[in-house]
Structures are given as C-alpha cells and as structure tokens.
Amino acid sequence: MKQSVKSEAYAQQRMKSKQRMERIIHGVFLLLGLITVGCVLLITLYLVISGLPAIVEIGPVDFFLGQEWAPTAGEPSYGILPFILSSVAGTAGAILLGVPIGFMTAVFLSKMAPSRLKDVMEGAVSLLAGIPSVVYGLVGMMVLVPGIRKLFNVPDGASLLAAIVVLTVMILPSIIKMSVTALDAVPREYEDASLALGATAVETYFRVSVPAARSGIAAAVVLGVGRAIGEAMAVMMVAGNAPNMPGLFESVRFLTTAVASEMAYSSGLQRQALFSIALVLFLFIMLINATLNFFLKREKE
Amino acid sequence: MKKIIALGLTALMAVSVLTGCGGNSEPQKVTTDGSTSMEEVIGVLGEAFQNDSGIEVTYNPTGSSSGIQAVQEGRCDIGLSSRALKEEEKSAGLAGTVLAYDGIAIIVHPENPIADLSLETIAKIYTGEITNWSEVGGNDAEIVLIGREAGSGTRDGFESITGTEEACQYRQELTSTGDVITAVSQNPDAIGYASVSAVADKDNVKAITVDGVAANEATIKDGSYVVQRPFVLVTKDGEELSEAAQKFFDFITSADANELIASAGVVSAN
C-alpha cells in the first residue's frame, strides 16, 4: 500500500515536470514564430512611417498621377505614374508571353512526357529557377539588348521589350512548377472516366485535367505576377531606367528600379519619396499575395 | 497585439542604440563612407596606411550624398564626396578638403569615327539639340545618350561642368561606371561618361578629346582638360577627428601620398 502511494506521487511529479517541459517548448516555438511576424510588422510599420510623409508633402494627386520624375531638379517634381504604368505593362507583358509557354510546358511535363525526358526537363526548370537575377541581367545586357537593337532597327535596345523578355524567362520556373504540381494532383479516375467515354488523350487533358487543376494554375499565374513585379536587378540592367511613359521600345523605369537606382545617392525629400514608392510596391505585392491566398484556399476546398 | 507592438518597438530601440554608437566604439579604426568613384583611390591609400600604421581603414561605397550624410550623423570619420560641398551642406557645419581631381572621360564606341567634340557640342548632344551623329561629322545614326542616375556624383559632375543640369535627355540611366562602359561598348551609336581612371585601360570604348585636349594627368592638373571634378574629404567643421582618423587624414593630404593617388588614376591636389 505504502509502495503504491509512493509510486503514485512519483508518477504525478514526473507528469508535472513533463508538463512544464511541454510548456517551455511551446513557448520557444511561439517565440520563434513571432520572429517572422515581428519582422513583417516591423517592415510594414517602418515603410508606412517613412513612406507616408512624402506622399502627404508632395500631395497624393501629384505623386500618383504626376507624369514627371525629376527629384534633383531646381524645382523638383515627384510623379510616379510612369513607374506604376511601366511596372504594370512589364508584368502584363511577361505574363502574356510566359503563361502560355509555362502552361503548355506544364501540361506536357505532367501528362505527356516520357518519365526520363520529364526528369531532365524538370531538372532544367529547377536550374533556371536557381540562376541569380544579376546573371539574367548581365546576359540580357550583353546579348538581348544589342539583339533587340539590330533585330528591330531601333537606336538602342534597352527598353520595355527587353525587360519583358527577361521577366518572361524568370517567371517560367514558378509557373511551370506550380502548374505541374496542380496537374499531378488531379485524380487519375477523372481522366480514366473521360478516356472510357471515348475522349482522346489531348481532349482529356484540356477538358478534364486542366479544369480540375484550374485553381492551382491560377495560383501559378499570380505567383508569376508577384515575381515579375518585384524583380529589380535584372530589370535595372536591361530597361534603360529613364523615367518615360511605357512604350515597347522606350527606355523605362519600374517601381523596383526607381527605388534601387536612386537610393544610394538620395537625400531629403527624394529619399522619402523613394520610401513612398517602396510603400506603393509593398501594397501591390500585398494585393497579389491576397489574391494568391484566395486561389490556394479555393484549391484546397 | 499590444505585446507584439511593444516587442517590435523594443527591438527597434535596441537596433537604434546599436547604430548610434557604432561609429566610435572602435578607436583604432578609421571609417570612411561615400562616393563610389573614390573606391580605387581610397582603397590604395587605405592599404598603404594600414601597412604602415596597423590602423584599419574601412570604406563603405554608398555615394557622395550618403557619405556626407554619414559624417553629419557621426556614422563615419571621414566622408568621401566626388563633388564640391553644396552651400546648405557647408552651413550645416561640414568642411571639405580637396584630395584630388578626377577627369570625366567622354566615351564612345571604338567604331565611332568621331574623335573630338567641343564642350559646347557635348552639352548640345546631351540636351537633345543635336540628335544625329551626322550633325557633328559622324555616321548617319541617332545618338544614344547613356548617363548615370540622379544623385550620382559623376552625373552631378558632368552636368554641372557642361551646364546641362536637369536638361539631359538620357536614353539610359545606369547605376554604375561599369554598366555605362558596358552599355557604350555594346552600341556603336552610344555616347557616355565615366571616370578617366575607369576607362584608362579599356579598349572596348574610346575616350574622345574635348576641345582638342585628351584627358590625362597633365591636362587635368593644369586645367586644360575641362571635364573634371574634385574628390573631397568631408569632415565636421571645428570638431576634432579621432586620433587614428587625424593620422590618416594627415597622411593622405601629405606629399607622400601623391604617388599613391596617381596610381589610382587621379591627380593629387596637394
């Protein structure tokens, strides 16, 4: 009897110390989780605090709709409409070129390719994703820019078109990988049923597999948009960076490159305005992320 | 939520405290910050000084305005500016000492037949008054203007010398000397500008003469090559430098440093 009371007390004590351990580990994990949340909050707070004053000082209308950017002029003007439109045009162009290529590649890889070819091609796609953006920029500068100049017989090849081509190549891996994952997840039974009803293989892929995977493919497109709009380095090296309104062969400056190219030398209101541009970019990317989450959630359901 | 905000603010304060005293926590170290154009000259001088005295010299290539700001905020010992100080900067309590003069070379593609332009013509080309090479005796091709981004010391130097402030019709605004040289070397109709020291040993671009004067040490020093700008050491006026920083300052402004400065491709002022 005595023995069992003792062992019960011992068990209780062990239980308590285990619970305490659990709580400590729980706390550590929570703390680690909070680091990420804290970073996001800190960056958001910092961007809003340092980005808002310039918008107020310049005036929202002049800032967002002004067509001239000349921060170091005697009478400076801070209109970022050319940057916004260039970013949108560049991203739209990259999506227009990249999505059909990426989507078709994904259908091929997921449904048609023999497994050895699939392995090789997927390896190549992963490699493409791993190439640093400065390398894309450098190749663009040495090959693409002179190429566009000769091919289209324009005075200079550094243009929106060059940026679109570079961005297209850069977003391909994201689109292909995510689309392949979505297509691979389509239940085999759907396709079997379609084939059993007499549809051809290609009909099955486009009428059954693709509609079943459409949320995942939409998420892939949105991810591509996010990648394209946030890219700075490669764009800076091929787009020419003059603050013009967008035109296919016009030298243009994106939101990202506007911040990156002048940040090092800026001071005063110019620097504050660059933070404001970063804030605008941040809002764009938040919007894109929200869209992405929407599609991903729908796919899960 | 409150907790998170408090945590965030605490972290922010901790970081700001750290940066606040980062500048002078290490006495036997000279920190310099500023013009990317001065990288080579400061690199050479810093290395020689370090070998000589054992005091480490750090250099942070952020750009002239950033360097000037860094001195003002006490984040570095000596600021490096590749332009003369502005009036507002002088009145904010900063002093500038000219270390050397740097010529800005006007560069074109090696296949371009143009070999000489006057300063006035260069200004007209950059403001868009002259748009075709045939107007200055070259091929019938549109001139492609390559320059630097707003705020760059080289751009500021070039535009103030040619009198084309805020009027340049750039086709490309690039963020480094290397990018400008690459862009010009890739386009037979391009014209650009870059430090003389950066283009001296390049054969993928051609430096043209200005008003018949080629950019070299002698012509920059005697002032006959007109496209040139000062390299300025920025310090706080009336405030003593740290012992190590003063030693470094004395060394680089002494005659002993002339040879080193010349080896970096610029012309010593002292």
Side-chain angles (χ1 to χ4, degrees):
Chain A
M1 192 67 188
K2 226 179 181 182
Q3 185 77 22
S4 87
V5 168
K6 208 176 186 181
S7 75
E8 208 168 276
Y10 177 66
Q12 251 179 10
Q13 204 178 4
R14 263 191 59 152
M15 190 73 181
K16 257 188 189 163
S17 85
K18 262 191 178 169
Q19 273 175 346
R20 194 162 51 222
M21 198 60 197
E22 280 291 303
R23 271 204 299 275
I24 291 173
I25 290 174
H26 193 85
V28 169
F29 276 64
L30 180 70
L31 199 73
L32 292 177
L34 282 179
I35 291 179
T36 314
V37 178
C39 285
V40 171
L41 279 177
L42 207 69
I43 291 172
T44 313
L45 204 73
Y46 183 72
L47 265 185
V48 171
I49 290 174
S50 42
L52 272 184
I55 298 181
V56 173
E57 194 173 335
I58 297 159
V61 175
D62 286 343
F63 185 67
F64 291 110
L65 299 179
Q67 299 194 10
E68 202 191 344
W69 174 264
T72 50
E75 238 172 78
S77 46
Y78 297 93
I80 66 162
L81 191 63
F83 304 160
I84 296 179
L85 293 181
S86 298
S87 265
V88 171
T91 307
I95 291 296
L96 227 56
L97 284 180
V99 167
I101 301 173
F103 170 68
M104 296 296 178
T105 311
V107 172
F108 176 73
L109 281 178
S110 173
K111 301 298 173 195
M112 301 179 201
S115 71
R116 277 185 56 194
L117 185 63
K118 182 179 173 175
D119 286 347
V120 173
M121 278 181 80
E122 282 193 329
V125 171
S126 303
L127 201 64
L128 196 63
I131 296 174
S133 57
V134 65
V135 175
Y136 282 104
L138 198 66
V139 174
M141 205 172 185
M142 308 297 279
V143 181
L144 185 64
V145 169
I148 286 178
R149 184 179 160 274
K150 288 206 187 83
L151 194 64
F152 295 98
N153 204 15
V154 286
D156 191 31
S159 57
L160 181 61
L161 180 64
I164 287 176
V165 173
V166 169
L167 286 177
T168 302
V169 179
M170 291 184 79
I171 65 172
L172 275 180
S174 324
I175 294 178
I176 294 173
K177 276 183 166 173
M178 202 141 171
S179 303
V180 166
T181 312
L183 284 168
D184 280 348
V186 174
R188 181 79 206 155
E189 291 80 10
Y190 288 17
E191 286 159 12
D192 287 345
S194 165
L195 291 169
L197 285 171
T200 64
V202 172
E203 275 173 346
T204 302
Y205 301 146
F206 285 96
R207 299 259 169 95
V208 177
S209 314
V210 169
R214 63 176 185 274
S215 290
I217 294 170
V221 173
V222 178
L223 195 70
V225 172
R227 175 108 209 247
I229 207 164
E231 177 54 39
M233 193 66 210
V235 172
M236 190 149 79
M237 293 171 83
V238 300
N241 298 325
N244 296 324
M245 283 304 219
L248 206 51
F249 296 108
E250 210 50 72
S251 162
V252 294
R253 198 185 291 186
F254 285 29
L255 285 167
T256 45
T257 48
V259 178
S261 66
E262 285 183 15
M263 193 49 100
Y265 287 107
S266 64
S267 60
L269 187 60
Q270 183 191 4
R271 168 159 293 214
Q272 286 182 314
L274 293 182
F275 277 116
S276 307
I277 297 177
L279 183 63
V280 172
L281 187 65
F282 187 69
L283 292 179
F284 264 103
I285 288 177
M286 291 245 282
L287 201 71
I288 290 162
N289 262 353
T291 321
L292 183 66
N293 279 339
F294 170 75
F295 280 121
L296 286 178
K297 208 175 252 175
R298 220 172 57 171
E299 189 187 27
K300 250 182 215 161
E301 279 161 11
Chain B
M1 193 63 200
K2 256 186 189 166
K3 252 188 194 166
I4 296 169
I5 292 174
L7 198 76
L9 288 178
T10 319
L12 195 71
M13 268 147 79
V15 169
S16 59
V17 166
L18 278 178
T19 51
C21 58
N24 41 19
S25 62
E26 190 78 36
Q28 285 304 84
K29 194 165 141 186
V30 184
T31 54
T32 66
D33 190 317
S35 170
T36 51
S37 314
M38 289 172 72
E39 176 167 12
E40 201 174 351
V41 66
I42 287 299
V44 169
L45 291 170
E47 198 182 315
F49 181 69
Q50 201 167 333
N51 288 343
D52 221 30
S53 63
I55 299 171
E56 194 192 346
V57 179
T58 65
Y59 161 69
N60 194 8
T62 55
S64 298
S65 300
S66 299
I68 293 166
Q69 206 179 352
V71 182
Q72 203 154 18
E73 292 167 5
R75 283 186 281 116
C76 70
D77 294 316
I78 300 170
L80 309 171
S81 167
S82 49
R83 57 169 170 79
L85 287 181
K86 292 174 186 165
E87 276 312 313
E88 63 196 63
E89 286 159 351
K90 277 184 191 159
S91 61
L94 295 174
T97 312
V98 177
L99 173 71
Y101 294 100
D102 178 37
I104 297 172
I106 310 298
I107 52 174
V108 295
H109 194 271
E111 284 169 21
N112 194 322
I114 299 290
D116 178 74
L117 291 170
S118 70
L119 190 63
E120 202 185 335
T121 313
I122 293 170
K124 276 185 182 161
I125 286 175
Y126 267 90
T127 51
E129 224 177 295
I130 296 173
T131 56
N132 197 302
W133 282 113
S134 62
E135 291 173 58
V136 290
N139 303 324
D140 180 21
E142 196 179 316
I143 303 175
V144 175
L145 302 174
I146 315 266
R148 293 289 303 274
E149 79 282 14
S152 148
T154 313
R155 168 161 163 173
D156 195 45
F158 172 82
E159 291 188 354
S160 59
I161 294 161
T162 53
T164 56
E165 287 106 328
E166 299 146 32
C168 288
Q169 309 288 320
Y170 293 110
R171 168 72 205 195
Q172 289 197 44
E173 292 182 27
L174 300 171
T175 51
S176 78
T177 303
D179 283 354
V180 170
I181 293 171
T182 308
V184 172
S185 72
Q186 295 292 331
N187 191 333
D189 306 323
I191 183 168
Y193 51 77
S195 291
V196 168
S197 56
V199 297
D201 50 355
K202 298 275 190 304
D203 48 15
N204 54 352
V205 291
K206 180 172 79 173
I208 59 169
T209 57
V210 178
D211 294 322
V213 183
N216 59 43
E217 194 183 328
T219 56
I220 291 168
K221 203 165 193 171
D222 68 18
S224 59
Y225 183 77
V226 288
V227 194
Q228 55 166 290
R229 61 183 169 148
F231 277 174
V232 183
L233 303 170
V234 186
T235 50
K236 276 188 183 172
D237 203 10
E239 205 166 298
E240 255 181 57
L241 287 167
S242 73
E243 195 187 325
Q246 187 62 50
K247 248 192 217 169
F248 181 61
F249 190 92
D250 291 342
F251 167 68
I252 60 178
T253 51
S254 72
D256 299 339
N258 280 355
E259 210 171 299
L260 292 167
I261 291 172
S263 76
V266 291
V267 182
S268 174
N270 303 292

